[in-house]
Amino acid sequence: MPAAPATRTYQIAAIPADGVGAEVVAAGRAVLDALAAGSNGAFALAWTEFPWGCGYYEKTGRMMAEDALAVLQPFDAIYFGAVGWPTVPDHVSLWGLRLTIAQNFDQWANVRPVHFHPGVLSPLRKADGTRLDWVVVRENSEGEYAGLGGRNLSGRGPGNEVAVQTVLFTEKGCERIIRFAFELARARPVRKVSSVTKSNAQQYAMVLWDETFARVAQDYPDVTTEAVLVDAMAAKFVLKPEDLSVVVASNLMADILSDLGSALAGSLGLAASANYNPERRFPSMFEPVHGSAPDIAGQGIANPIGAILSGALMLDHLGLHEEATRLHKAVDATTGSGVLTRDIGGTAGTSQVVAAIIENLAP
Ligand SMILES: NC(=O)c1ccc[n+]([C@@H]2O[C@H](COP(=O)([O-])OP(=O)(O)OC[C@H]3O[C@@H](n4cnc5c(N)ncnc54)[C@H](O)[C@@H]3O)[C@@H](O)[C@H]2O)c1
C-alpha cells in the first residue's frame, strides 16, 4: 500500500486586533481549519494568535510587543483582522501595528480583487447582465504613506501651527509595482493594465510614475494599457467597469479606489486583500479591506467574507491553489443560496454564514 503523503503544516500568525477584526478572523480560521480537515492530510494550519491592538495599547502603551517583528519573521504568513478603536487615535493604532508590519516586512504589493458574488445586489445596474471582475494593485511601501513630514511652529500660538506631509515616489518603487501589475494581467483572461495618477496636478512624483509606466509597458507588448487620471478613474469604476482588468495606483489612490470597488460589488465587508512581499524574504499578510467597524462590533453580524477570501489569497500564496478555488466556490454557493449578512441585504449572522460556507466546502 502506498504511504499517505506527509501533511505539510503551515505556521500562521493570527492578529485579530480590534472590533470586528476578532470576529472575522475567528470566522476565517474556522473555515480554513474545516478546509484543512477535509484535505485528506494534504495540509494543516498551525495557528499562533497574538493579542496586539488597541486593548494591548491601553495596557502597555504599545500596539504590539517590542520584539513583534522578530517574533513574526519565521511564520509562513500573517492573517490579520482590523486595527482601530475610538479610545486610541487612528494614526497611532494604524502606524503602531499594520503599517509597521507592512513597511518593515517590505510588503510592497497590496492586491485587492473586486469580485461580484452571485446573489449579492450591486448598486450598479449593469452588474446584473455584465461580467464584472477586476483587481486593484496598490503600491504599499511608499507614496503618500511614506510617513515623511512633521508638525511645527506650535510655539507661535493657537491657529499658527504648520504641518508638512511629503509623498515619496522612487523609480524603483514605481517600477516594481507596475511590473507586478503587468505580470498579474498576463495571468488574467483580459490582459490589460490601467495606470492611475494625478500627474496633471502633481508634476514631479506622479510624472515619474507615468514615465516609468510607459517604459515598463514596452516589455509587455501583449498587454493593453491605459493611463487615467484618478478622478476620471473614479467615474469609470461606476460607468464603465467592464473595461477594467488590473488597475495599478499609488498607496492612497488605490486605497480609496478599492473601497469604491468593494462598495460597487455590494459591501466593504466582501473585499479581500493580500500584502505581499513578493521576494518572500518576509511573511506576507492577508486581511480584509475593511476596518474594525466599531458601529457593529460585538453583535455577531459582521460579514466574514472579506476575511475568508483573504484566507483564499493566503492559500494561493502557500501554493494551495485547488484549495483556494474550492473556498471561492463555497463562498459563491453560499451567497448564491441567499445566506447573506445584513450589509448585503440578508438576515444571517456571522456564524450562520460560516456554517453555510463550511457545508458548501463538501465535495
Ligand atoms: N486595515 C485596517 O486595519 C483598517 C482599515 C480601515 C479602517 N481601519 C480603522 O477602523 C476603524 C473604523 O474605520 P471606518 O469606520 O472608517 O471603516 P470600517 O471599514 O471599519 O467601516 C466602514 C463601514 O463599513 C461597515 N463594515 C466594515 N466592515 C464590515 C463587515 N465585515 N461587515 C459588515 N459591515 C462592515 C461598517 O459597519 C461601517 O458602516 C478606524 O479606527 C480606522 O482607522 C482599519
Side-chain angles (χ1 to χ4, degrees), residues 92-103:
V92 172
S93 56
L94 194 65
W95 274 101
L97 188 56
R98 192 194 160 279
L99 286 179
T100 298
I101 297 171
Q103 295 203 343

Side-chain angles (χ1 to χ4, degrees), residues 9-352:
T9 300
Y10 297 92
Q11 301 294 329
I12 312 294
I15 308 176
D18 304 312
V20 299
E23 298 164 53
V24 299
V25 163
R29 284 183 56 170
V31 170
L32 290 166
D33 282 341
L35 192 61
S39 75
N40 288 328
F43 79 103
L45 301 173
W47 300 92
T48 306
E49 193 160 302
F50 296 96
W52 303 328
C54 290
Y56 188 86
Y57 180 86
E58 282 161 32
K59 285 188 219 127
T60 65
R62 304 183 56 89
M63 287 298 295
M64 57 182 179
E66 208 163 348
D67 62 350
L69 294 172
V71 170
L72 291 173
Q73 166 82 65
F75 282 89
D76 291 309
I78 302 167
Y79 191 55
F80 192 86
V83 61
W85 199 247
T87 50
V88 180
D90 281 345
H91 65 278
V92 172
S93 56
L94 194 65
W95 274 101
L97 188 56
R98 192 194 160 279
L99 286 179
T100 298
I101 297 171
Q103 295 203 343
N104 283 286
F105 284 173
D106 202 19
Q107 294 166 345
W108 52 266
N110 182 203
V111 171
R112 298 179 156 191
V114 178
H115 180 67
F116 288 69
H117 297 266
V120 179
L121 202 60
S122 162
L124 285 180
R125 245 179 309 156
K126 66 167 59 165
D128 292 344
T130 314
R131 193 179 170 276
L132 299 175
D133 179 64
W134 69 94
V135 50
V136 176
V137 173
R138 170 187 180 192
E139 200 296 314
N140 211 28
S141 66
E142 51 181 51
E144 306 87 344
Y145 290 17
L148 299 175
R151 292 175 61 170
N152 216 331
L153 306 183
S154 58
R156 288 182 182 177
N160 288 312
E161 197 175 346
V162 175
V164 174
Q165 186 95 39
T166 308
V167 302
L168 174 78
F169 282 72
T170 65
E171 191 166 357
K172 184 179 169 195
C174 295
E175 177 158 354
R176 65 184 182 178
I177 196 67
I178 288 166
R179 272 193 197 282
F180 185 96
F182 274 101
E183 293 294 334
L184 185 61
R186 276 190 167 162
R188 289 176 55 83
V190 178
R191 294 179 167 202
K192 177 174 180 184
V193 178
S194 307
S195 166
V196 179
T197 62
K198 188 68 184 169
S199 51
N200 54 347
Q202 303 213 308
Q203 71 271 53
Y204 308 117
M206 296 224 151
V207 171
L208 173 63
W209 175 293
D210 278 357
E211 288 173 4
T212 308
F213 182 72
R215 176 169 58 76
V216 171
Q218 291 173 5
D219 294 340
Y220 297 87
D222 52 318
V223 179
T224 310
T225 62
E226 64 178 353
V228 184
L229 296 175
V230 67
D231 35 358
M233 184 54 89
K236 190 166 182 166
F237 263 44
V238 176
L239 298 173
K240 223 174 168 218
E242 66 276 20
D243 215 27
L244 304 172
S245 179
V246 176
V247 177
V248 63
S250 68
N251 218 328
L252 176 64
M253 289 184 184
D255 193 14
I256 297 168
L257 285 174
S258 57
D259 265 33
L260 175 59
S262 53
L264 294 174
S267 167
L268 206 46
L270 295 168
S273 91
N275 301 280
Y276 293 113
N277 172 245
E279 298 85 4
R280 295 182 187 248
R281 283 193 300 131
F282 301 100
S284 294
M285 180 162 67
F286 302 84
E287 54 165 353
V289 166
H290 64 75
S292 59
D295 54 335
I296 59 161
Q299 298 175 36
I301 58 171
N303 191 336
I305 289 180
I308 290 168
L309 291 180
S310 304
L313 291 169
M314 182 168 80
L315 295 175
D316 258 329
H317 181 69
L318 296 173
L320 299 164
H321 305 298
E322 276 172 32
E323 289 78 2
T325 304
R326 251 179 88 198
L327 187 45
H328 272 285
K329 285 188 179 153
V331 168
D332 279 353
T334 301
T335 57
S337 69
V339 183
L340 305 171
T341 43
R342 292 177 205 190
D343 55 309
I344 44 178
T347 55
T350 310
S351 56
Q352 286 164 287

